[in-house]
Amino acid sequence: NSDAPNGTHPVPSPEDLKLLELSQKYTAEAIKRLRPDGLDQFVPLKKAESERFRALAEDPWVDHAALNAKESPVAEGTTYKFLILGAGYGGLLYAVRLIEAGLVTGPNDLRFVDAAGGFGGTWWWNRYPGLHCDVESYTYMPLLEETGYVPTHKYASGTELREHADRIATQWNLHDKALFRADVKAVRWDDESQLWKVEVTEGRGPSAPSRELKLQAQYVLLASGVLTNPQVPKIPGLDSFSGPIFHTARWDYTITGGTPEDPTLTGLEGKRVGIIGTGATAIQVVPKLAKYAKELYVFQRTPSAVSWRGQRPTDPVEWKTKIAYKKGWQRERCLNYDSYLTDAAEEGQKNLVADGWTEMPAYSGVLGSPRYPIVEPTPEKIAEHVGRLYKLDMARSERVRARTEEIVKDPETANKLKAWYPCWCKRPTFSDEYLQSFNQPNVHLVDTDGKGVDAANQSGLAVAGKEYPLDILILSTGYVTPAIGGGSPAARTGIEVYGRGGRSLDDKWRNHGAATLHGICTSGFPNLFFMPLSQSGQSANNVLTLEVGTEHTVHFLAQAEARAGPGAIVEVTSPAEEAWSFEIAKQAAWHATVVGCTPGYISNEGEFLREQQQQVQDPAAQFKKARQGNWTRGIASFMKVLQEYRDEGSLQGVEVTARA
Ligand code: FAD
Ligand code: NDP
């Protein structure tokens, strides 16, 4: 308080006192959840010791008979021009933009490889009841202008989102250009042939042996996602549970009854069902389970912040006259939406999306904002920055907690369902059904006070010395964090990537730290591009990030071909990636907002807080982490930087040569 007269202490305002109390509560709640085992508390299903858990990672949706009946779309040793690893929205966007740029002409110019049995990525694997996109479908669903598709609802269902992936594949003739059921193990740059060698295991179902394949590619495009590897907590005794168990990312309708399109879960009738986890997935699933289970036990470690949803069907008149009413509407809508989340909305601007997301300028705590200068890395400036964002978040977070009290009738349950962290620490959630479920007599919140489930046995789960007998157990326990391996684009999908001289991409990240130009390519790994995560601008709408990454990559490729012909080799130089990494590291103090966050995949299970508590000081390691940060002026500003780079036209910092 600068109004304090000389010689007196400033008098904190009631708001300041409230903020102080709140931040102390947030810190205490976060520290309570810190675990010494950090990321090690989980194991990816695929790598679980128990055969039973490994089997849970398999694709429940694939039609092996149909795929085996078709001739394989790839032959051993074939050389492709573009090999796209991943056939979700990201992979599809790469393909569409490459085709539009005229870079795909021959029959072997383009192939997808994906472990799934079809297109869709996230929307292939996830088919749990209640699944919808959490970002408005008019902004989230890619290529709406090009396909002319009108989403049925403001938030499209999982089925609709998957069907849209198929629609894109149909419109751009991609159905025969994908090798599905195929795990990519490794990609290696071969200096002699100047091609990527790609090692793939193609599954053929339980009745046929799998096929090991070696393919070659001029360009490898990694579109293998961020949340693709379901994980299970290492709860002692979990494997001994005698009832059915499955992960939400591989929903088992043979147990629950119903289908993704008709979640009439009659298999749960008369059953005691347990669900571990209360993240964004559980928020959508719980109301559906609550409808059918005899008793539903929701095992909570950290509550989600649950705000209002406002789902509604698309009004065809509004669609034509106010939404899809001009060319370029979708990008404009995405940026309008983003301006609210980066605290950049102009006075009097029309809020086109106008949903719960757009009430969160404090989400700039993770996305950045163009309104503020780079945060100087001094204790005072960092404290000022974090304090400002806590303040910006406070009213909205209080409203979300008040909403919980208004909806949940039992005050004790309501109290346990309140989230005590700022909006950027966990994916914010939106539901007009989740909190209401806890008013049903068959729904029981088992709050573990931040500790998690203690143990499991043949008949159920145990928390704080109390046993909960169950018939069915559902794991809603999330995914391996995309920040694994320092955010290496290889580590997050388990693909080993070896560049020039056999150098491993994971080693480069581990030893040197993130190093890219604009988040999409790295030196020593020619003709390899990946979807931006570290060192780029991010949006809460993941598809906008994928589009931005795709546009930029295709620009590089088109320019390279224009200069060196179809055999071009394009590679960022080391000085250029260092300059960009330094630019990112300079902005890293912004991310101090995450230090106090409750553990979760966004905070690498509380890694920074643990280091702060243990007073770890390692400047070299800190600089590596700083390089792993993002562009902190928001995605619109990042897009401007990329546009200026493209307009300048010389592909600064990138070497283009013709293949020998
Ligand atoms: P994905 O859709 O994950 O596709 C990647 C593909 O790569 C997968 O099919 C996978 O099988 C394949 N793959 C990975 N590794 C390998 C390998 N080694 N070998 C072979 N294939 C491999 N974001 C939002 O913005 N809004 C939302 O509403 C939203 N909802 C989500 C809901 C859920 C349940 C989850 C898990 C995520 C959600 N996300 C959401 C994030 C979502 O992942 C992205 O929005 C988007 O779908 C990612 O597309 P992608 O193509 O990059 O990756
Ligand atoms: P999350 O990682 O968000 O949630 C996992 C849950 O499991 C957390 O509540 C976690 O608690 C809990 N958990 C983990 N271990 C234990 C344990 N030992 N005992 C008790 N609880 C435990 O995964 P989700 O699948 O929910 O979501 C992942 C991401 O996918 C989201 O953040 C979002 O980005 C995206 N998504 C989007 C959706 C959409 O609306 N379209 C829907 C679903 C997902 P704790 O928080 O304490 O770690």
Side-chain angles (χ1 to χ4, degrees), residues 55-194:
L56 295 184
E58 279 166 19
D59 187 345
W61 323 112
V62 58
D63 185 345
H64 285 297
L67 289 171
N68 287 347
K70 285 197 228 161
E71 202 183 322
S72 174
V74 307
E76 168 73 19
T78 312
T79 303
Y80 296 100
K81 183 174 177 188
F82 298 108
L83 212 50
I84 301 179
L85 308 186
Y89 282 171
L92 286 164
L93 279 165
Y94 270 148
V96 168
R97 299 302 182 209
L98 288 169
I99 293 168
E100 284 179 345
L103 298 174
V104 177
T105 48
N108 279 348
D109 276 4
L110 181 78
R111 278 298 178 279
F112 298 91
V113 182
D114 197 305
F119 286 103
T122 294
W123 311 107
W124 173 272
W125 295 108
N126 281 277
R127 303 196 192 189
Y128 58 77
L131 176 62
H132 284 80
C133 49
D134 63 355
V135 168
E136 192 204 50
S137 47
Y138 315 153
T139 59
Y140 179 73
M141 291 175 81
L143 303 164
L144 286 181
E145 289 191 65
E146 290 84 342
T147 56
Y149 182 68
V150 183
T152 61
H153 287 79
K154 194 164 168 79
Y155 305 94
S157 71
T159 300
E160 189 170 349
L161 294 162
R162 183 172 48 78
E163 286 172 354
H164 189 58
D166 273 330
R167 176 174 302 110
I168 294 168
T170 303
Q171 183 159 333
W172 279 274
N173 288 319
L174 300 171
H175 280 288
D176 60 348
K177 295 188 174 55
L179 178 68
F180 291 125
R181 312 178 286 177
D183 249 312
V184 182
K185 303 284 182 211
V187 297
R188 297 170 201 277
W189 175 255
D190 178 40
D191 264 322
E192 207 174 310
S193 62
Q194 298 182 302

